[in-house]
């Protein structure tokens, strides 16, 4: 019972501030996401209206006419009102991919993860905990933050007298797990937007395809000779929306899988470093106990 009480009352100075920090970070990320999506839509509409819809891309200088032969900008504009939505989705994929790339790059730290983990192992094997902590300060990033939290708890447990070895090891493991739980959500933010676009872009493209086919069959259904221009525009609208939707979806899938694999690598590095910390602590405490 005394050991249990000692475990429950051990100081954990970083725990109370963690929920507030996570909540603040989440709120900032949500605001960034909303602003980014709105800006992407504004840029997409401007591009659709004034770049793709410029009269210089169409016969007679009017964007209601057929596009000039071989003019891709006018051809894309003929895709109709679904095109700005698809451009918005495409810009969102690019924007959030760049944002995730920068975030994950910062999370890795200043040097390679493999070299950092190897340095921490060497310091721990030499029983140089302060040196390992200094390596974390130099490395920076999410991985270094988690490892540093584990090392600080490691250092604290070496002077703890109210807990047995198993309780100390569990305390170190818990510290690493809690810090990891705070760092990983930051790496995974906005990935849900990319994964959603991967599914939605195809559906939006198919919706544009349906509208285009409706327009094409409407031209065929006219009495007398069919309206060839309207028929061609309807077919163009269908094909353009299909191609744009599939292309955006494919890009989103590639981006999502790439960033997921990078996060998995960081998680593996954290687990590897955490295991080294716990294993080294167990070996040193066992050796000290045997010497006593």
């Amino acid at each position: 019972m005394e050991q249990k009480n000692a475990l429950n009352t051990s100081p954990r100075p970083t725990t109370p501030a963690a929920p507030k920090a996570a909540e603040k970070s989440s709120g900032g990320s949500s605001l960034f996401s909303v602003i980014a999506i709105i800006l992407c839509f504004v840029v997409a509409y401007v591009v659709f209206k004034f770049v793709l819809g410029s009269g210089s891309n169409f016969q007679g200088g009017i964007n209601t006419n057929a596009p000039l032969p071989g003019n891709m900008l006018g051809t894309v504009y003929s895709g109709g009102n679904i095109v700005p939505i698809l451009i918005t989705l495409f810009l969102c994929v690019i924007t959030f991919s760049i944002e995730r790339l920068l975030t994950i790059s910062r999370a890795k730290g200043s040097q390679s993860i493999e070299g950092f983990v190897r340095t921490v192992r060497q310091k721990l094997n030499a029983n140089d905990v302060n040196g390992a902590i200094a390596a974390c300060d130099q490395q920076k990033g999410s991985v270094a933050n988690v490892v540093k939290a584990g090392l600080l708890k490691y250092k604290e447990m070496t002077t703890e007298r109210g807990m047995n070895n198993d309780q100390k090891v569990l305390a170190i493991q818990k510290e690493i797990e809690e810090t990891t739980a705070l760092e990983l959500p930051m790496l995974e933010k906005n990935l849900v937007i990319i994964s959603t676009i991967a599914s939605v872009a195809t559906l939006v493209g198919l919706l544009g395809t349906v509208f285009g086919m409706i327009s094409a069959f409407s031209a065929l259904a006219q009495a007398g000779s069919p309206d060839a221009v309207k028929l061609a525009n309807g077919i163009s609208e269908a094909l353009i929306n299909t191609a744009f939707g599939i292309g955006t979806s494919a890009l989103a899938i590639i981006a999502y899988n790439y960033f997921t694999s990078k996060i998995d690598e960081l998680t593996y590095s954290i687990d590897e470093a955490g295991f080294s910390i716990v294993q080294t602590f167990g070996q040193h405490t066992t050796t000290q106990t045997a010497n006593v």
Side-chain angles (χ1 to χ4, degrees):
M1 180 62 70
E2 293 178 355
Q3 292 176 349
K4 182 177 180 180
N5 293 334
L7 178 62
N8 291 336
T9 57
S10 61
R12 304 183 66 84
T14 59
T15 302
K20 294 183 179 179
E23 182 179 353
K24 181 178 179 181
S25 176
S26 177
S29 177
S30 300
L31 180 61
F32 167 80
S33 301
V34 172
I35 294 176
I37 293 173
I38 293 175
L39 289 178
C40 286
F41 177 77
V42 172
V43 172
Y45 183 80
V46 170
V47 170
F48 175 76
K49 200 70 177 178
F50 300 103
V51 178
L52 302 180
S54 174
S56 60
N57 299 323
F58 298 87
Q59 298 177 7
I62 303 175
N63 57 19
T64 56
N65 295 335
L68 294 172
N71 189 295
M72 289 303 300
L73 297 180
T75 302
V76 173
Y77 180 83
S78 65
N81 295 327
I82 297 295
V83 172
I85 300 176
L86 291 172
I87 295 177
T88 300
L89 296 177
F90 176 79
L91 292 177
C92 284
V93 173
I94 299 299
T95 301
F96 289 113
S97 294
I98 294 174
E99 185 267 340
R100 284 296 88 193
L101 186 63
L102 295 176
T103 300
I104 292 177
S105 297
R106 288 196 302 267
K108 288 182 178 179
S110 58
Q111 302 175 1
S112 67
I113 295 297
E114 294 80 5
F116 168 68
V117 174
R118 185 165 53 251
T119 300
V120 171
R121 278 182 171 179
Q122 292 172 352
K123 298 292 185 182
L124 289 176
N125 290 334
N127 200 24
D128 185 9
V129 180
N130 291 330
I133 294 175
C136 294
D137 293 333
Q138 183 179 2
Q139 175 73 11
K140 300 180 181 179
S142 297
V143 176
N145 291 340
V146 175
V147 176
K148 182 179 179 179
L151 291 172
L152 291 175
K153 179 58 68 174
Y154 179 109
K155 191 174 180 180
E156 177 186 337
M157 290 297 102
T158 56
T159 59
E160 177 64 46
R161 294 292 179 263
M163 303 166 61
N164 59 36
N165 290 341
D166 291 338
Q167 289 175 325
K168 293 178 180 179
V169 169
L170 289 175
I172 296 174
Q173 289 177 335
K174 185 177 181 181
E175 184 71 24
I176 294 174
E177 291 172 358
E178 289 181 354
T179 310
T180 302
L182 293 176
E183 293 288 343
L184 284 184
M186 181 193 69
L187 300 178
E188 297 174 349
K189 285 176 182 175
N190 298 329
L191 281 184
V192 66
I193 297 177
I194 297 178
S195 65
T196 301
I197 293 175
S199 302
V200 171
T202 303
L203 298 177
V204 174
L206 291 176
L207 181 62
T209 302
V210 172
F211 288 160
M213 295 307 298
I214 290 174
S215 178
F217 282 112
S218 176
L220 287 175
Q222 292 183 359
S225 60
D227 188 341
V229 175
K230 188 175 181 180
L231 175 61
N233 288 338
I235 296 175
S236 296
E237 180 179 352
L239 297 178
I240 289 167
N241 287 317
T242 301
F244 215 149
I246 293 175
T248 302
S249 178
L251 180 63
I253 292 172
I254 293 172
Y256 179 81
N257 289 335
Y258 173 79
F259 293 123
T260 300
S261 65
K262 290 300 180 181
I263 293 173
D264 289 341
E265 291 178 7
L266 294 179
T267 304
Y268 174 78
S269 299
I270 291 174
D271 292 340
E272 184 179 7
F275 177 76
S276 298
I277 293 172
V278 173
Q279 186 181 40
T280 303
F281 181 85
Q283 291 175 347
H284 286 172
T285 52
T286 302
T287 301
Q288 294 173 358
T289 303
N291 292 335
V292 173

